[in-house]
Amino acid sequence: MQSTNGVQENIEKIQQLFPDCVTETIDERTGELVRKVDFEKLQQNLSDVIISGREERYQFTWPDKKKAILLANSPVNAALRPCREESVDFDNTQNLYIEGDNLDVLKCLKETYLHKVKMIYIDLPYNTGNDFVYEDDFAESSAEYLANSGQFDEQGNRLVTNTESNGRFHTDWLNMIYPRLKVARDLLADDGVIFISIDDNEQENLKRVCDEIFGESNFVACFIWKSRQNKDNRNITGVSIDSEYILCYSKKSGDRVFKGTERKTEQYKNPDNDPRGPWTSANMVGLATKDARPNLHYNLINPQDGINYGCPEKGWRYDKNSMTKLIESERVLWPDTPQGRPRRKVFLSELSDDNLPGFSSIIENGIFTNTATKEIHALLDGHWFDFPKPSLLVKDFLQQTTLSDSIILDFFSGSATTAHAVMQLNAEDGGNRKFIMVQLPEVTDEKSEAYKTGYKNICEIGKERIRRAGKKIKEDSSLTTQDLDTGFRVLKLDSSNMEDIYYTPKDINQADLFSLVDNVKPDRTAEDLLFQVMLELGATLDSKIATEVVAGKTIYNVADGYLVACFDKNVTDEVVTAIAKMHPLYAVLRDTSMANDSTATNFEQIFKTYSPDTVTKIL
């Protein structure tokens, strides 16, 4: 019902001529983010002299960047609630599958998993114009959080789609990824490494974001993965885009990140009993032409017998001074005839590392996106997920960068490729790596085959893929995988377990006093509270949980006495004494647990008597 926007048409024309002069900014009239002309840049482009203006400096910024940083640092009032019915081997597994907005989940994990994750792999939303983007509210109250929990609308869809017509096309994507990477960095161990899959749309921006968050000096490589087997004819430019990128950063610079391949040392021998130990010979012919490196071109003469070996076409590998030092240190092997080529002794003891580099920055391993599609189709009997990553690709990174007991995190889990890769590698090398998958339960399209088959959201696809992959891995190697952990504990992000009891006197009346006696929400279970306390007190979410019933009350023993808790009501001195005699590091009870005033009074004294070093907490 409106005529065309002449201003926007003109901006598009300017963008065609001067693409660097069009940017994303805030419209002062509406407060919305739109495309506008950077007139200072345009003026400079149209001038043959320097136009004075703001001081030039190197920077990378976008609208709302400061708010994105603030969002990364702000606390979250949320809980991770266990879901036994959707888990596999809940009591024994060390793997986790967490449903919910990954930013809030990462914040929940941050304190307990600080510096504990060895490897992170994420396959980011590629910002193609069709992908959904998480919408983060920068000023969300606790009430709004409850209303907006999970970032869904009433139909279960994410709140924002990001199309190229959106004035904040790059801005929305950057504001989504920045706080998540910032929090994720804190989870990485000091020797940790992160891999991030991306395509051409945001590769440049992602590289600059990662340089800022992880540090330019911690950049390891940008792997170029040939992801497409056949040429793509859809690109109007006539160029088939056959590759994707995998950015890799380490937590700190200076350490070797990739194990590489084992160096073979069979050729190192010591036939002349050299006191410096076993050695092998290396070619000393140079790699440069005479014109390029004239100092490498000279006649090499054996000083002992005067044999002249001349000069090879490309010269020697070392200049005259370096070669003289090698001769003096008896590092040169002289042939018997002038037609031979002198070689250099290389000693086994001089090798700086037992392994050779094992990865090229260009990955052409015959593993493609359609490989992953076939992999999921074979497991789930259908094409339920678009553009997954092959588990073999992720497994190679795991093999190169993790230890046998490492924690691996993927907070854009999708079809759970990373979990599949972890289980497969453990099956092959006997490792006990543990995975943490995090995924927003985005609903599947009602018209899709996945929805019709029964997969109502992406999490259901991911969990079923792990179940079937684990089963298949065990079936394929039944003799060696009996103890393989293919289970996972499911936890779901929700609002806090605790009631909002912080009211001012004017906000409550006499009747409210009775409803505020219990500070725990009525729909929360004892296990909900247990997992909340585990995170608060530093017990990892995969910790072993044993239960014991004393005087009709359930006592939870986490990680062999690290934490002992009871959340039942009417707890007596007998129960408190039983907990104290377990000598836990932490003991936790509910505020309303005590059976009477006498038990409440005796509580501290009981612990002083039986376990004075225990830290007691009241929830």
Side-chain angles (χ1 to χ4, degrees):
M1 300 297 291
Q2 289 182 334
S3 61
T4 57
N5 189 326
V7 173
Q8 290 301 315
E9 286 184 348
N10 290 333
I11 289 175
E12 290 174 4
K13 293 175 183 177
I14 291 173
Q15 187 173 20
Q16 292 177 1
L17 294 172
F18 306 104
D20 62 318
C21 295
V22 176
T23 185
E24 298 172 347
T25 187
I26 297 176
D27 190 311
E28 295 178 356
R29 296 167 299 176
T30 64
E32 297 179 352
L33 285 152
V34 295
R35 288 179 180 173
K36 284 192 175 182
V37 175
D38 186 331
F39 289 105
E40 289 184 5
K41 276 191 177 180
L42 181 60
Q43 187 180 13
Q44 186 63 68
N45 273 281
L46 299 176
S47 176
D48 58 359
V49 296
I50 294 176
I51 304 298
S52 61
R54 293 178 298 178
E55 180 183 353
E56 291 183 343
R57 61 190 181 279
Y58 181 79
Q59 61 177 346
F60 178 49
T61 189
W62 62 87
D64 282 338
K65 181 179 180 180
K66 290 182 179 179
K67 291 182 178 179
I69 296 172
L70 182 66
L71 181 63
N73 296 325
S74 63
V76 61
N77 187 26
L80 298 178
R81 303 178 64 186
C83 181
R84 279 183 172 270
E85 58 271 22
E86 296 178 23
S87 303
V88 174
D89 197 16
F90 184 95
D91 290 321
N92 299 306
T93 185
Q94 293 183 291
N95 301 315
L96 303 174
Y97 190 100
I98 306 176
E99 297 185 21
D101 183 296
N102 53 15
L103 179 57
D104 289 346
V105 172
L106 289 173
K107 289 181 179 182
C108 288
L109 297 177
K110 182 177 176 179
E111 188 171 355
T112 298
Y113 286 88
L114 190 70
H115 305 160
K116 290 182 179 178
V117 175
K118 184 67 169 67
M119 172 183 150
I120 296 174
Y121 172 81
I122 51 174
D123 184 11
L124 287 179
Y126 280 7
N127 206 17
T128 60
N130 299 316
D131 293 325
F132 286 99
V133 173
Y134 293 66
E135 181 181 57
D136 298 314
D137 191 335
F138 294 119
E140 189 175 47
S141 69
S142 58
E144 288 171 333
Y145 174 86
L146 296 177
N148 202 29
S149 178
Q151 300 293 327
F152 300 116
D153 63 16
E154 293 178 355
Q155 286 74 44
N157 299 307
R158 292 193 217 176
L159 295 177
V160 172
T161 54
N162 201 32
T163 61
E164 290 192 36
S165 60
N166 177 18
R168 49 185 292 163
F169 178 64
H170 293 293
T171 293
D172 277 344
W173 190 88
L174 287 166
N175 282 329
M176 179 274 294
I177 191 56
Y178 191 92
R180 288 164 172 81
L181 287 180
K182 196 167 177 62
V183 179
R185 182 188 180 278
D186 293 332
L187 300 181
L188 272 181
D190 288 341
D191 61 348
V193 61
I194 183 170
F195 297 91
I196 310 173
S197 285
I198 196 66
D199 69 350
D200 287 296
N201 289 301
E202 297 291 355
Q203 187 272 341
E204 180 183 4
N205 283 333
L206 177 63
K207 174 70 166 62
R208 298 179 75 180
V209 166
C210 289
D211 281 346
E212 183 171 313
I213 292 176
F214 296 98
E216 289 185 68
S217 62
N218 293 333
F219 172 67
V220 175
C222 177
F223 296 101
I224 302 172
W225 171 48
K226 182 172 172 54
S227 59
R228 183 179 292 278
Q229 188 170 14
N230 301 313
K231 292 190 179 299
D232 183 2
N233 298 317
R234 294 173 296 177
N235 197 328
I236 61 174
T237 65
V239 177
S240 176
I241 306 300
D242 302 329
S243 301
E244 297 180 19
Y245 306 94
I246 304 170
L247 287 178
C248 178
Y249 283 78
S250 61
K251 180 66 174 290
K252 66 176 183 178
S253 59
D255 293 338
R256 181 167 183 151
V257 173
F258 284 75
K259 296 174 185 175
T261 57
E262 185 177 358
R263 188 190 299 270
K264 297 185 182 302
T265 59
E266 294 85 354
Q267 74 273 27
Y268 287 86
K269 302 183 184 302
N270 195 359
D272 57 354
N273 295 317
D274 194 308
R276 289 169 289 190
W279 53 268
T280 188
S281 62
N283 188 8
M284 293 202 300
V285 175
L287 303 175
T289 63
K290 186 172 183 179
D291 293 336
R293 298 290 298 277
N295 64 323
L296 300 180
H297 290 261
Y298 53 87
N299 287 336
L300 181 59
I301 301 173
N302 185 341
Q304 296 178 1
D305 55 21
I307 295 178
N308 186 347
Y309 298 94
C311 178
E313 182 181 355
K314 293 186 177 182
W316 300 103
R317 189 175 294 273
Y318 309 100
D319 60 30
K320 257 190 171 181
N321 289 334
S322 299
M323 186 69 79
T324 299
K325 292 179 180 179
L326 287 174
I327 294 172
E328 291 174 349
S329 61
E330 300 182 357
R331 300 291 293 269
V332 177
L333 300 170
W334 302 102
D336 295 332
T337 64
Q339 290 72 35
R341 281 283 176 257
R343 295 178 67 84
R344 177 175 63 92
K345 271 188 174 183
V346 179
F347 291 95
L348 180 61
S349 60
E350 294 175 333
L351 297 180
S352 59
D353 199 291
D354 292 336
N355 289 350
L356 294 167
F359 254 81
S360 168
S361 58
I362 299 177
I363 303 174
E364 294 182 285
N365 52 8
I367 301 171
F368 307 101
T369 300
N370 64 0
T371 306
T373 302
K374 294 175 183 177
E375 184 177 41
I376 291 182
H377 192 284
L379 282 172
L380 301 179
D381 305 317
H383 179 76
W384 313 133
F385 201 89
D386 294 328
F387 311 115
K389 290 295 180 290
S391 63
L392 290 176
L393 177 70
V394 180
K395 192 188 78 171
D396 282 346
F397 290 128
L398 287 166
Q399 197 166 28
Q400 283 293 321
T401 62
T402 67
L403 304 174
S404 62
D405 59 348
S406 295
I407 298 175
I408 293 91
L409 169 66
D410 184 345
F411 53 92
F412 284 93
S413 172
S415 64
T417 295
T418 303
H420 188 166
V422 169
M423 293 187 297
Q424 183 64 54
L425 182 56
N426 282 342
E428 293 175 8
D429 67 5
N432 187 34
R433 298 169 187 84
K434 299 169 278 290
F435 64 73
I436 303 175
M437 301 292 103
V438 183
Q439 177 60 44
L440 187 74
E442 177 190 343
V443 296
T444 52
D445 190 328
E446 292 186 6
K447 298 179 182 178
S448 69
E449 290 301 315
Y451 185 91
K452 294 175 183 177
T453 305
Y455 300 112
K456 305 306 180 185
N457 62 55
I458 290 178
C459 291
E460 293 181 2
I461 297 175
K463 286 180 289 189
E464 185 61 20
R465 193 254 183 96
I466 299 173
R467 294 185 189 104
R468 297 197 186 189
K471 182 179 179 182
K472 184 176 186 304
I473 290 170
K474 283 192 171 183
E475 289 174 349
D476 291 346
S477 306
S478 57
L479 296 178
T480 59
T481 59
Q482 293 304 307
D483 297 327
L484 180 67
D485 184 359
T486 57
F488 54 93
R489 284 182 179 174
V490 175
L491 298 107
K492 299 188 178 185
L493 183 73
D494 207 332
S495 60
S496 171
N497 294 320
M498 315 308 291
E499 293 278 17
D500 188 356
I501 58 173
Y502 299 99
Y503 298 98
T504 58
K506 67 182 180 61
D507 293 326
I508 60 175
N509 55 43
Q510 188 171 359
D512 292 327
L513 294 175
F514 296 97
S515 64
L516 298 177
V517 171
D518 197 340
N519 62 345
V520 177
K521 291 177 180 175
D523 64 331
R524 302 306 162 97
T525 67
E527 279 199 336
D528 291 338
L529 299 178
L530 179 66
F531 275 79
Q532 172 188 323
V533 172
M534 285 167 62
L535 277 179
E536 290 175 352
L537 298 180
T540 56
L541 295 173
D542 64 336
S543 297
K544 289 284 186 182
I545 303 171
T547 58
E548 180 180 339
V549 177
V550 175
K553 308 303 177 185
T554 300
I555 297 175
Y556 295 95
N557 187 334
V558 178
D560 296 324
Y562 179 86
L563 162 67
V564 175
C566 179
F567 303 108
D568 291 341
K569 295 184 178 181
N570 298 316
V571 170
T572 62
D573 286 2
E574 181 183 357
V575 178
V576 174
T577 301
I579 294 174
K581 286 183 177 181
M582 295 179 183
H583 305 291
L585 182 61
Y586 294 100
V588 181
L589 283 83
R590 283 178 64 169
D591 188 36
T592 56
S593 289
M594 305 303 180
N596 49 52
D597 291 343
S598 175
T599 300
T601 302
N602 295 336
F603 176 77
E604 293 292 341
Q605 188 58 47
I606 292 172
F607 274 93
K608 285 181 180 179
T609 302
Y610 294 102
S611 187
D613 293 331
T614 296
V615 178
T616 57
K617 300 279 186 180
I618 299 296
L619 189 65

